[in-house]
Amino acid sequence: MTSTSASTITGHALIGGQPELGAGGSFKAWNPSLREHLEPAFHMVDRDQIDRACSLAGAAFDTFRATSDEQRAGFLDAVAEQILALGDELVERAMQETGLPRGRIEGERGRTVGQLRLFASLLREGSWQDPRIDPALPQRTPPRADLRSRLIGVGPVAVFAASNFPLAFSVAGGDTASAFAAGCPVVLKAHSAHPGTSELVARAVVRAVAQCGLPAGVFALLTGTGNGIGQALVAHSAIQAVGFTGSRSGGTALMAVAGQRPQPIPVYAEMSSINPVFLLPQALASRAEQIGKDFAASLVLGVGQFCTNPGLVLAIEGEGLEQFCAAATAALNETQPATMLSAGIASSYRRGVEALGTHTSVTTLLRLEHEEHQGHAALFRVPSSDFLARQELHEEIFGPASLLVVCRDVEDMYAVAERLEGQLTAALHMADGSGDVEAARTLLPTLERKAGRILANGFGTGVEVAHAMVHGGPFPATADGRSTSVGTAAIYRFLRPVCYQNLPQSLLPAVLRDDNPREIWRRIDGALGKGMERI
Amino acid sequence: MTSTSASTITGHALIGGQPELGAGGSFKAWNPSLREHLEPAFHMVDRDQIDRACSLAGAAFDTFRATSDEQRAGFLDAVAEQILALGDELVERAMQETGLPRGRIEGERGRTVGQLRLFASLLREGSWQDPRIDPALPQRTPPRADLRSRLIGVGPVAVFAASNFPLAFSVAGGDTASAFAAGCPVVLKAHSAHPGTSELVARAVVRAVAQCGLPAGVFALLTGTGNGIGQALVAHSAIQAVGFTGSRSGGTALMAVAGQRPQPIPVYAEMSSINPVFLLPQALASRAEQIGKDFAASLVLGVGQFCTNPGLVLAIEGEGLEQFCAAATAALNETQPATMLSAGIASSYRRGVEALGTHTSVTTLLRLEHEEHQGHAALFRVPSSDFLARQELHEEIFGPASLLVVCRDVEDMYAVAERLEGQLTAALHMADGSGDVEAARTLLPTLERKAGRILANGFGTGVEVAHAMVHGGPFPATADGRSTSVGTAAIYRFLRPVCYQNLPQSLLPAVLRDDNPREIWRRIDGALGKGMERI
């Protein structure tokens, strides 16, 4: 960290495109592997700085959203390029601040850049605005006016970076990329666990903003720790929506602030999920050992620090289940403890595992030793009746711990499924052409009501950034089960419809004019088409 | 009302498809024209009845949403047919309960039936589920799983009927039609101003439910007055979304209940709008008199009891404005007072007009006499500086009253626009080929941020049920500016996405299987197509 290049970390917030030291108290990043602070000091922004960042975002909104799809796509591409141009400094700082290995950080950088480019391609395709035209019917009684509608950005978005994806769900991650694509400025609250990584990426975004000639208010980075900054940010009148990834308590606190504003705003908080895995009988009978091994690999991936970590396994008592347990524990015994993202996450994991292990109805199958700052796998077992009776057993433990719920039969498994809270994912392990398929068919309606993504013969870890991805789910998985925070559909969180009635062509947005030179798909009287006629 | 046919009004709630007297206190409908109660008595449902209606809705959800698009379309058509089969008894009872004339009620019945059939056509077209397929990429490193997503219903919806559309926004109105289309059961809180109309329509819905072989829990009618029933309904764990049309205080109260549930749910409340009308200079110079006449006609339509009533007019001081005022007051002087929908609305209108007329900075241009139960036009005038300084002048008065804000120049008009709250509509009156067009272009970004629908050379009254309609707008126009309550896009309020990863074809919903016999438009790797290839 001795470089003095423009991208060197200085501990500044970025407001109006300019570095600015937070006016409040200072804090430093923590290296969880070496257990030492990292230079330089960062500073808490104060109310005035939050207010200026939000006001600039509000002032930039109309200019930003008036850019063409191609201009905004170019901006997203420029952000990606600027992130890549940070080179190894970004990778090393992210490794230092998170304890994650190089391969993971480099992979996550690729995902982040790919995500920005995917949103650029969505803009270039053009139909993201859901353009609709109901032509005038002057001969009808009464005559119908000319009606045209499209989606526009909701306004400036407050984005809260996640701890567990220092690039892909942080400063220029999915929330920011989808808000930018929607034409919404972003005021970003950096996660205090990786402030240096955040500053580097934020400077890359600021360079892209300048390079593309956009107003500086399109993006700001706010630095700080604790809850005060976030609450002031969400309460600011210029902010029109919130993207958040973090804890259930953090997310629900922001939901309360947003709901109590004079003008309530939507909060998209991705919070808490135990991601039930259903091991159906014939799958266990035919390949319990392989499933056990695969489960162990998914459980410890990234020290279990994924929202989609398999925290709950449901299986029917019997030989297959014992084989699964033996294989899973054997595989887990082969794994090594590893550094967790932060001291807070490590101690919270330790407390969660401790509480579960000493719960009267819970049997500990495996609880591997690890140092204070680390996590290591833990596996517990509980009868379904106790699981149903104890709501505390339904709570997420963030890290490589999982609870096996032993069901009496498949009906018992259905009953447990029906009692689950909202989830990001639910996984079904089943044997083709067996009774498992009918069991899965019976479970599916329940799982559809409970989860955003249902997968067969796999685990939820590994969230593809794609068009059909849903990384969402009913509360408490997210604040708003009508949305996804990963994939191109994430843009719909930050859009709202506007209808234009009898407006002259010259005043209509380009996507709604009669001519359609980009040949964007539109709905004409409800039917998809590229001209002004139904096809 | 002496008929003893099956459709005769009996004062019952309808729960599980069966008539059931509310267990609480009784109330009667009021004939606002004759100022007398109408037989029979209705009864307040109690907690147990609310709980049973909601629990039955929850139990019916999976069966209802598993119906095919064609089955649900047939159900919507059957509801329409059953409403028409009610014949003149429905029209007469609605006239008695609302004071609205026959032509209006018959027109509204046509709109209600047309709305149900439009949603049926949306289901038959099929792409409402936004089906998306990202085929597996087994050769990629890492391999991509097969990902497919679609929208499903959110669950049972609590619908609160509006007072001012006893058919089109009531028992089988837009909220109910869009929820049914989405596969969501409806628990309907009847408006206490037209309980007999509500019972007739509810019995028609129940007959359609039975005729189509659907579970009886798909629909329930709850009867009562006051706020307690609605709050218990929104608080019920089976309810997953709320549709409401009514007052700002009523809507925000339900938003608070919904936000404080253990599992918060979305509320779509259409609440409050003053629908600003911008009279641009050249329009006034060229046709002030015609605009004044048209404004008067829009203002008194339905005794001003429309959400889109022109409650605010902005114009620049000068000769054109005086001509507009003269024409508007002359036209209004030709109108007659008329019965308002209820005693409560009439007294609230009287209080609102009284308060505005005695406001220190407001001049009364016109305030026409009317009896206690009636409304009649009132027109006021205020300088823009006072309007900006007094937030109470921004509040809706439900009825045929409007406030003219006199601006110094077009910049002053822009400033007023920027200070408005969220609106359902904003209207621009402009002269083609004049400087008005540039003024409109300057205003448009502000109006897009403020309103759900922007119209040229007209007034917002008359809300077409169509694909491109947006009857929505930022708070306080609605609780959720990302939605519309009129038109086919209203269905999206009650849908959420589910992703299926690597599911076998036999377990996928029909709309996501490889074969696509209905040739429904889907997104394949983001591109629209009807096969499995991008086109």
Side-chain angles (χ1 to χ4, degrees):
Chain A
M1 305 307 304
T2 56
S3 158
T4 55
S5 78
S7 66
T8 294
I9 299 160
T10 56
H12 286 78
L14 290 160
I15 299 171
Q18 299 300 316
E20 188 172 322
L21 282 182
S26 73
F27 66 101
K28 287 182 178 172
W30 176 253
N31 182 322
S33 303
L34 302 180
R35 278 157 286 163
E36 62 185 25
H37 284 291
L38 288 160
E39 295 299 328
F42 291 80
H43 301 265
M44 305 272 289
V45 293
D46 69 5
R47 290 281 174 141
D48 170 66
Q49 293 175 308
I50 296 167
D51 178 59
R52 275 190 289 115
C54 295
S55 298
L56 286 166
F61 177 44
D62 283 350
T63 305
F64 188 40
R65 70 189 178 90
T67 54
S68 68
D69 283 349
E70 180 53 42
Q71 286 172 307
R72 235 157 36 261
F75 170 55
L76 293 169
D77 285 341
V79 172
E81 286 305 312
Q82 291 288 354
I83 289 172
L84 291 175
L86 293 169
D88 214 45
E89 184 182 11
L90 177 65
V91 176
E92 287 183 0
R93 179 73 185 198
M95 289 167 64
Q96 289 167 1
E97 291 185 330
T98 63
L100 294 170
R102 174 174 290 272
R104 157 68 192 272
I105 296 292
E106 289 181 346
E108 199 179 318
R109 180 177 58 181
R111 178 196 172 100
T112 306
V113 166
Q115 188 162 249
L116 288 158
R117 291 175 175 156
L118 183 65
F119 279 106
S121 75
L122 183 78
L123 297 181
R124 291 186 174 110
E125 191 269 340
S127 64
W128 63 277
Q129 285 187 84
D130 189 22
R132 294 167 176 238
I133 300 176
D134 296 329
L137 297 175
Q139 311 304 329
R140 200 193 63 174
T141 309
R144 182 172 83 179
D146 181 274
L147 294 168
R148 304 181 187 222
S149 70
R150 62 155 178 170
L151 302 174
I152 69 168
V154 293
V157 176
V159 173
F160 290 79
S163 64
N164 62 337
F165 280 90
L167 299 175
F169 276 90
S170 188
V171 174
D175 288 344
T176 298
S178 53
F180 280 165
C184 298
V186 168
V187 180
L188 193 124
K189 166 63 176 65
H191 199 285
S192 56
H194 54 269
T197 305
S198 299
E199 184 187 332
L200 288 171
V201 176
R203 286 179 178 269
V205 176
V206 165
R207 279 192 285 275
V209 168
Q211 178 185 331
C212 296
L214 297 172
V218 161
F219 178 78
L221 178 81
L222 301 181
T223 49
T225 61
N227 302 328
I229 294 170
Q231 296 190 351
L233 176 56
V234 172
H236 196 283
S237 62
I239 297 298
Q240 294 299 304
V242 179
F244 169 93
T245 306
S247 68
R248 183 168 178 172
S249 60
T252 52
L254 294 182
M255 289 168 73
V257 173
Q260 284 155 17
R261 291 165 46 117
Q263 176 225 5
I265 56 172
V267 173
Y268 300 97
E270 196 263 81
M271 300 186 289
S272 170
S273 183
I274 52 176
N275 305 300
V277 176
F278 295 83
L279 306 180
L280 295 175
Q282 295 308 312
L284 272 190
S286 60
R287 49 189 166 88
E289 191 175 329
Q290 187 61 47
I291 297 173
K293 283 181 188 170
D294 294 345
F295 162 74
S298 175
L299 185 66
V300 301
L301 194 71
V303 206
Q305 299 165 118
F306 290 116
C307 323
T308 50
N309 201 54
L312 194 75
V313 179
L314 296 97
I316 297 162
E317 56 195 356
E319 190 183 347
L321 170 57
E322 302 312 321
Q323 288 171 351
F324 166 82
C325 289
T329 51
L332 291 170
N333 269 314
E334 298 295 310
T335 63
Q336 297 300 315
T339 303
M340 294 196 87
L341 288 161
S342 71
I345 287 173
S347 69
S348 174
Y349 178 66
R350 181 176 285 275
R351 280 197 307 275
V353 167
E354 183 71 32
L356 197 53
T358 55
H359 200 285
T360 48
S361 54
V362 169
T363 308
T364 300
L365 295 182
L366 172 101
R367 191 175 160 195
L368 296 171
E369 290 297 312
H370 57 90
E371 291 183 55
E372 187 77 21
H373 63 294
Q374 296 178 321
H376 204 174
L379 188 58
F380 303 95
R381 177 171 177 154
V382 68
S384 60
S385 54
D386 290 298
F387 180 75
L388 289 178
R390 305 283 186 175
Q391 193 58 35
E392 67 271 24
L393 298 178
H394 296 232
E395 284 168 20
E396 182 184 19
I397 297 173
F398 193 70
S402 193
L403 177 61
L404 177 61
V405 177
V406 181
C407 304
R408 293 184 306 281
D409 50 32
V410 73
E411 276 71 31
D412 190 29
M413 189 181 270
Y414 302 156
V416 174
E418 192 58 51
R419 293 278 296 279
L420 294 173
E421 292 189 301
Q423 305 291 339
L424 293 171
T425 71
L428 291 160
H429 289 260
M430 53 190 173
D432 285 354
S434 78
D436 287 358
V437 177
E438 286 316 302
R441 197 184 304 282
T442 304
L443 273 167
L444 266 172
T446 302
L447 300 185
E448 287 177 328
R449 276 187 277 108
K450 302 284 179 178
R453 179 162 54 114
I454 298 164
L455 52 142
N457 298 321
F459 296 90
T461 44
V463 183
E464 185 76 32
V465 182
H467 301 283
M469 175 51 66
V470 177
H471 189 64
F475 186 91
T478 77
D480 188 335
R482 294 161 298 171
S483 64
T484 174
S485 60
V486 176
T488 51
I491 195 173
Y492 293 108
R493 298 177 298 168
F494 304 127
L495 295 171
R496 48 169 280 263
V498 177
C499 173
Y500 306 84
Q501 179 174 322
N502 286 347
L503 249 68
Q505 291 283 313
S506 69
L507 288 178
L508 283 170
V511 74
L512 293 179
R513 287 180 205 141
D514 286 354
D515 70 336
N516 184 15
R518 288 174 62 201
E519 298 201 318
I520 291 169
W521 286 103
R522 313 189 287 194
R523 289 199 178 264
I524 310 297
D525 267 331
L528 282 163
K530 295 185 172 182
M532 285 294 292
E533 304 297 322
R534 298 173 65 113
I535 63 169
Chain B
M1 305 308 302
T2 54
S3 159
T4 54
S5 78
S7 65
T8 294
I9 299 160
T10 56
H12 285 79
L14 290 160
I15 299 172
Q18 298 301 318
E20 188 172 320
L21 282 183
S26 72
F27 66 100
K28 286 183 179 173
W30 176 252
N31 182 323
S33 304
L34 301 180
R35 277 158 288 164
E36 61 183 25
H37 284 292
L38 287 160
E39 295 300 328
F42 291 80
H43 301 265
M44 305 272 289
V45 293
D46 69 5
R47 290 283 173 138
D48 170 67
Q49 292 174 309
I50 297 167
D51 178 60
R52 274 190 289 117
C54 295
S55 298
L56 285 167
F61 176 45
D62 282 350
T63 305
F64 187 40
R65 70 189 179 87
T67 54
S68 68
D69 283 350
E70 180 54 40
Q71 286 173 309
R72 234 157 38 262
F75 169 55
L76 292 170
D77 286 341
V79 173
E81 286 305 311
Q82 290 288 355
I83 289 172
L84 291 175
L86 293 169
D88 214 46
E89 182 181 13
L90 176 66
V91 176
E92 287 184 359
R93 179 73 185 199
M95 290 168 62
Q96 289 168 1
E97 290 185 330
T98 63
L100 293 170
R102 175 173 288 273
R104 157 70 191 272
I105 295 293
E106 288 181 347
E108 199 180 316
R109 179 176 61 182
R111 178 195 173 102
T112 305
V113 166
Q115 187 163 249
L116 289 158
R117 290 175 176 157
L118 183 67
F119 279 104
S121 75
L122 183 79
L123 296 181
R124 291 186 172 110
E125 191 271 339
S127 64
W128 63 276
Q129 285 187 85
D130 190 22
R132 295 167 175 238
I133 300 176
D134 296 330
L137 298 175
Q139 310 305 329
R140 201 194 62 174
T141 310
R144 182 172 83 180
D146 181 275
L147 295 168
R148 306 183 185 219
S149 70
R150 62 153 178 171
L151 302 174
I152 69 168
V154 293
V157 176
V159 173
F160 291 79
S163 64
N164 62 337
F165 281 90
L167 298 174
F169 276 90
S170 188
V171 174
D175 288 343
T176 298
S178 54
F180 279 166
C184 298
V186 168
V187 180
L188 193 125
K189 165 65 176 67
H191 199 286
S192 56
H194 54 266
T197 306
S198 300
E199 184 188 331
L200 288 173
V201 176
R203 286 179 179 269
V205 176
V206 165
R207 278 191 286 274
V209 168
Q211 178 185 331
C212 296
L214 297 172
V218 161
F219 178 78
L221 177 81
L222 302 181
T223 48
T225 61
N227 302 327
I229 293 170
Q231 295 189 353
L233 176 56
V234 172
H236 195 284
S237 62
I239 297 298
Q240 293 300 304
V242 179
F244 169 92
T245 306
S247 69
R248 185 168 177 171
S249 61
T252 52
L254 294 182
M255 290 168 72
V257 173
Q260 284 156 17
R261 290 165 47 118
Q263 175 226 5
I265 55 172
V267 173
Y268 300 98
E270 196 263 81
M271 298 185 289
S272 170
S273 183
I274 52 176
N275 305 299
V277 176
F278 296 82
L279 305 181
L280 294 175
Q282 295 308 311
L284 272 191
S286 60
R287 49 189 165 89
E289 190 174 330
Q290 186 62 47
I291 298 173
K293 282 182 188 170
D294 293 346
F295 162 75
S298 175
L299 185 66
V300 301
L301 194 71
V303 206
Q305 299 165 118
F306 291 115
C307 323
T308 52
N309 201 54
L312 194 76
V313 178
L314 296 97
I316 297 162
E317 56 195 356
E319 190 182 348
L321 171 56
E322 302 313 321
Q323 288 171 350
F324 166 83
C325 288
T329 51
L332 291 170
N333 268 313
E334 298 295 310
T335 63
Q336 297 300 316
T339 302
M340 295 196 87
L341 287 159
S342 71
I345 286 174
S347 69
S348 174
Y349 178 66
R350 179 176 287 276
R351 280 196 307 275
V353 166
E354 183 72 32
L356 197 53
T358 54
H359 200 284
T360 49
S361 53
V362 169
T363 308
T364 300
L365 295 182
L366 173 100
R367 191 174 160 196
L368 296 170
E369 291 296 312
H370 57 89
E371 291 183 56
E372 187 76 23
H373 64 292
Q374 295 177 321
H376 204 177
L379 188 58
F380 304 94
R381 178 172 177 153
V382 68
S384 59
S385 53
D386 290 299
F387 180 74
L388 288 178
R390 305 283 186 175
Q391 194 59 36
E392 67 269 24
L393 298 179
H394 297 231
E395 283 167 21
E396 182 185 19
I397 297 174
F398 193 70
S402 192
L403 177 62
L404 176 61
V405 176
V406 181
C407 303
R408 293 184 307 280
D409 50 32
V410 72
E411 277 72 30
D412 190 30
M413 190 181 268
Y414 302 156
V416 174
E418 193 59 51
R419 292 278 296 279
L420 295 173
E421 292 189 301
Q423 306 291 341
L424 293 170
T425 71
L428 291 160
H429 288 260
M430 53 190 173
D432 284 355
S434 77
D436 287 357
V437 176
E438 285 316 302
R441 196 184 303 283
T442 305
L443 274 167
L444 265 173
T446 302
L447 301 185
E448 287 177 328
R449 276 188 278 105
K450 301 285 178 177
R453 178 162 55 114
I454 298 165
L455 52 142
N457 298 321
F459 296 90
T461 44
V463 183
E464 185 76 33
V465 181
H467 301 284
M469 175 49 67
V470 177
H471 189 65
F475 185 92
T478 76
D480 187 334
R482 295 163 296 170
S483 65
T484 176
S485 61
V486 176
T488 51
I491 195 173
Y492 293 107
R493 299 177 297 169
F494 304 126
L495 295 171
R496 48 169 280 264
V498 176
C499 173
Y500 306 84
Q501 180 174 321
N502 285 348
L503 249 67
Q505 291 283 314
S506 69
L507 289 178
L508 282 170
V511 75
L512 293 178
R513 287 180 205 143
D514 287 353
D515 70 337
N516 184 15
R518 287 174 62 200
E519 298 202 320
I520 291 170
W521 286 103
R522 313 189 288 194
R523 290 199 178 266
I524 310 297
D525 267 331
L528 283 163
K530 295 184 173 182
M532 285 296 291
E533 304 297 321
R534 297 173 65 113
I535 63 167

